[in-house]
């Protein structure tokens, strides 16, 4: 028997729980659990977490399962000589070309009026890009974002009056480009653009945005399978007096997610409470620039559901996630795809298979529109989970639909 199997059996016997009863509680086959207990099969961390919670092991069982390999970001586009992502030299050239007429410097009064109009225009464009990102694949949005980013950088270089404001807006674009790179499955490029954001925000004296980039780095660390780094980065934001309430609240969310991955119930729930307090409307100034997601309805519940799933509490997770999804606009396909996929996983783990099928079919529609790398990672997990329902025809067919959609996404 393996060390995990020995400890699992010891705890099960102490609690006078039969293998059949345990199998029913965690919604796994009794024969499969028997092979885990006798050491004929290894336990994965997902199953170990469920058994740990059911047997009240307080993380001791999870600690006996080796950490899963860290995920790495895709190679994506080639990097330029300074390490910055190069999403097509023709885009950079086009952005450079746009600066040619701007070299004709008008009078100071006219320059200021023109620059204010350009600022207003690109702020409106930024809002449009954010809306489009919820409805289009990230690669299509990136093409437009990078052209606008290059133009803003050129404008900032020749500006007579609005250079700091142009630089700040370019920083917002760079942060958003980083998120779209993440959604395209290119974590290395997402990190490069996030750090470019910090550089530009510092130049524009936007301290909160510069600090917020550490929240984004913490999120990327989580996607890369590195919760320890996520905790450290988010902690730096929480301790930084320059960070505003929203940035600190989002940092507390990242810590909660990292603690959940590590199976630390108490610190996860404490971080969720801290985030809820920091993100209370009375704490967030109305004039604060909005950082982070603006489309997820009930963001606290969405993150709480994500955490409870990782803590091995799928029933509670599904309640939180279902509420968040109900409050997310139907046109926010990207957000609905990500949190809908996690809700489907929670329903499957809780044994609520009818609900899981309904949610999964909707997620497949959303993913087909936006091609979200984050949602696809959750759907791959769902596909693996459905393997144990191979004797149920409807679920076998659902898994085939999932696998076909994931193959189509990789080809796109």
């Amino acid at each position: 028997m393996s060390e995990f199997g020995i400890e699992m059996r010891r705890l099960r016997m102490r609690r006078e729980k039969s293998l059949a009863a345990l199998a029913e509680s965690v919604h796994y086959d009794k024969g499969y659990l028997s092979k885990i207990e006798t050491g004929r099969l290894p336990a994965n961390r997902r199953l170990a977490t469920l058994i740990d919670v059911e047997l009240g092991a307080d993380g001791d069982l999870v600690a006996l399962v080796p950490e899963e390999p860290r995920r790495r970001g895709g190679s994506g586009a080639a990097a330029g000589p300074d390490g910055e992502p190069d999403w097509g030299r023709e885009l950079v050239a086009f952005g450079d070309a746009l600066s040619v007429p701007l070299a004709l410097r008008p009078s100071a009064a006219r320059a200021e009026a023109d620059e204010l109009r350009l600022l207003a225009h690109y702020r409106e464009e930024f809002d449009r890009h954010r809306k489009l990102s919820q409805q289009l694949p990230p690669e299509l949005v990136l093409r437009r974002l990078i052209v606008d980013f290059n133009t803003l950088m050129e404008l900032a270089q020749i500006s007579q009056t609005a250079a700091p404001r142009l630089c700040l807006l370019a920083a917002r674009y760079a942060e958003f480009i980083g998120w779209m790179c993440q959604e395209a499955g290119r974590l290395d490029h997402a990190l490069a653009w996030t750090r470019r954001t910090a550089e530009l925000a510092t130049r524009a004296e936007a301290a909160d945005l510069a600090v917020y980039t550490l929240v984004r780095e913490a999120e990327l660390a989580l996607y890369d399978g590195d919760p320890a780094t996520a905790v450290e980065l988010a902690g730096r934001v929480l301790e930084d007096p320059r960070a505003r309430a929203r940035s600190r609240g989002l940092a507390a969310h990242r810590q909660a997610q990292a603690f959940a991955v590590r199976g630390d119930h108490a610190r996860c729930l404490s971080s969720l409470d801290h985030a809820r307090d920091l993100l209370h409307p009375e704490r967030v100034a109305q004039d604060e620039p909005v950082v982070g997601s603006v489309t997820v309805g009930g963001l606290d519940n969405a993150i709480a559901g994500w955490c409870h799933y990782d803590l091995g509490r799928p029933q509670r997770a599904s309640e939180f996630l279902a509420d968040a999804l109900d409050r997310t606009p139907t046109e926010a396909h990207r957000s609905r795809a990500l949190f809908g996929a996690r809700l489907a996983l929670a329903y499957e783990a809780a044994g609520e298979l009818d609900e899981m099928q309904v949610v999964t079919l909707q997620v497949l529609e959303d993913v087909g529109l936006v091609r979200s790398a984050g949602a696809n990672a959750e759907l791959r997990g769902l596909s693996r989970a459905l393997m144990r329902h191979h004797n149920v025809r409807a679920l076998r067919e659902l898994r085939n639909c999932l696998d076909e959609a994931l193959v189509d996404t990789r080809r796109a």
Side-chain angles (χ1 to χ4, degrees):
M1 293 175 69
S2 66
E3 187 178 3
F4 179 89
I6 292 171
E7 184 63 9
M8 171 182 163
R9 178 177 173 78
R10 186 185 71 79
L11 289 171
R12 184 173 63 78
M13 298 301 290
R14 181 198 291 179
R15 286 159 180 73
E16 299 181 348
K17 197 176 188 73
S18 70
L19 199 59
L22 179 61
E24 183 177 355
S25 297
V26 299
H27 306 287
Y28 268 76
D29 180 72
K30 174 186 172 183
Y32 185 79
L33 292 191
S34 176
K35 291 177 182 178
I36 297 289
E37 193 170 84
T38 57
R40 285 179 287 169
L41 286 176
N44 58 55
R45 289 183 70 84
R46 164 62 23 215
L47 176 57
T49 301
L50 293 172
I51 295 174
D52 189 290
V53 171
E54 192 61 33
L55 297 181
D58 295 326
D60 290 344
L61 277 175
V62 176
L64 297 175
V65 180
E67 289 280 351
E68 295 173 354
R70 288 173 58 181
R71 295 193 294 265
R72 305 302 305 176
S75 58
D82 59 354
E84 181 181 332
D86 182 357
W87 287 88
R89 297 187 183 279
E90 73 282 0
L91 289 177
V92 177
F94 180 56
D96 289 342
L98 293 181
S99 70
V100 173
L102 300 175
L104 301 174
R105 296 176 182 262
S107 66
R110 182 180 170 189
E112 183 174 8
D114 287 346
E115 287 172 1
L116 289 175
R117 279 194 292 270
L118 284 167
L119 269 171
H121 167 75
Y122 282 106
R123 284 197 191 103
E124 291 175 1
E125 283 298 292
F126 183 74
D127 291 338
R128 277 193 281 270
H129 292 321
R130 286 176 73 107
K131 289 179 181 177
L132 281 173
S133 73
Q134 291 291 328
Q135 301 170 35
L136 292 174
E139 294 83 0
L140 294 181
V141 182
L142 277 165
R143 292 179 182 276
R144 302 181 60 172
L145 283 170
I146 292 173
V147 169
D148 283 0
F149 172 82
N150 286 329
T151 305
L152 283 167
M153 292 302 295
E154 290 290 336
L155 288 167
Q157 287 177 12
I158 67 170
S159 172
Q160 298 182 42
T161 60
R165 286 174 289 179
L166 288 163
C167 196
L168 176 56
L169 187 55
R172 299 293 302 277
Y173 269 82
E175 188 272 328
F176 193 63
I177 289 170
W179 183 55
M180 285 289 95
C181 289
Q182 177 183 331
E183 279 293 270
R186 298 176 170 105
L187 299 189
D188 48 352
H189 291 173
L191 182 60
W193 278 102
T194 299
R195 289 176 175 169
R196 183 70 182 277
T197 304
E199 171 200 330
L200 291 170
T202 300
R203 194 190 307 176
E205 299 183 352
D208 178 66
L209 180 56
V211 174
Y212 169 73
T213 60
L214 294 178
V215 178
R216 288 285 299 120
E217 288 200 36
E219 182 176 350
L220 293 169
L222 282 170
Y223 273 94
D224 202 26
D226 187 2
T229 296
V231 168
E232 189 271 328
L233 290 168
R236 286 165 58 186
V237 178
L238 288 166
E239 295 170 2
D240 196 319
R242 300 173 300 165
R244 296 186 179 185
R246 182 168 175 83
S247 291
R248 294 173 64 223
L250 296 175
H253 274 162
R254 298 296 85 77
Q255 281 203 333
Q257 289 176 289
F259 288 136
V261 171
R262 294 164 64 175
D264 192 334
H265 291 65
R267 295 178 77 183
C268 172
L269 297 180
S270 175
S271 293
L272 286 173
D273 287 341
H274 192 195
R276 191 172 293 109
D277 178 57
L278 287 167
L279 294 172
H280 191 280
E282 293 180 1
R283 294 288 300 273
V284 179
Q286 295 303 309
D287 60 345
E288 276 192 33
V290 177
V291 293
S293 174
V294 295
T295 57
V296 180
L299 184 60
D300 277 326
N301 281 356
I303 300 301
W306 194 293
C307 289
H308 278 278
Y309 176 78
D310 282 335
L311 289 171
R313 299 171 173 175
Q315 182 62 54
R316 189 75 176 118
S318 66
E319 294 168 2
F320 279 120
L321 288 164
D323 176 77
L325 205 61
D326 284 345
R327 292 198 269 163
T328 299
T330 55
E331 65 271 17
H333 299 290
R334 188 170 301 281
S335 297
R336 292 186 66 85
L338 178 61
F339 288 98
R342 179 55 63 126
L343 175 58
L345 275 167
Y347 277 144
E348 189 282 329
E352 299 180 22
L353 301 181
D354 290 340
E355 291 85 348
M356 180 270 294
Q357 291 182 74
V358 172
V359 171
T360 301
L361 291 174
Q362 182 57 58
V363 169
L364 287 174
E365 290 186 22
D366 290 324
V367 166
L369 293 171
V370 297
R371 294 209 296 266
S372 163
N376 285 341
E378 303 301 319
L379 291 178
R380 282 191 288 272
L382 181 59
S383 177
R384 291 191 295 271
L386 288 177
M387 289 178 67
R388 59 195 178 92
H389 302 291
H390 60 87
N391 57 329
V392 180
R393 181 178 177 181
L395 299 185
R396 192 165 61 244
E397 292 175 350
L398 181 62
R399 182 169 184 261
N400 289 337
C401 291
L402 272 174
D403 292 344
E404 287 175 8
L406 290 168
V407 168
D408 289 343
T409 299
R410 285 192 290 269
R411 287 174 179 167

